[in-house]
Amino acid sequence: AASDADHWRLVVFGNSSFLSNQLIGSLGNAALASNLLNWLAQRDQLLGIPAREPEHVRLNLTGSEVRGIHWLVLGLLPGLAVVAGILVRYRRRR
């Protein structure tokens, strides 16, 4: 059986800026650092990606923006589909 001295683990990054105070809290950098250290210490049972808290996003639209979206979804997009269908039919009949 191989001893622990026969197994090496190495992690290489281009730089360590993901561990800076400004970036440690964004994009899962803290989880990456924690998993990195646990993996290097051969504590594989502690590896994992924690669940993220869902973000609550509120969309505030003006009346004119709502009307614009309404016409886009109910008028323009179906109209483009109809025009495309007519063009395809016309080209196939020629």
Side-chain angles (χ1 to χ4, degrees), residues 39-83:
W39 183 77
L40 286 172
Q42 297 181 351
R43 297 184 292 189
D44 294 340
Q45 70 277 7
L46 298 177
L47 298 177
I49 300 173
R52 288 184 23 189
E53 196 65 33
E55 294 182 30
H56 297 283
V57 178
R58 183 175 176 91
L59 180 62
N60 295 318
L61 298 174
T62 65
S64 63
E65 291 170 334
V66 171
R67 282 188 297 279
I69 292 171
H70 172 83
W71 286 112
L72 174 73
V73 172
L74 296 178
L76 183 63
L77 294 178
L80 288 175
V82 169
V83 169

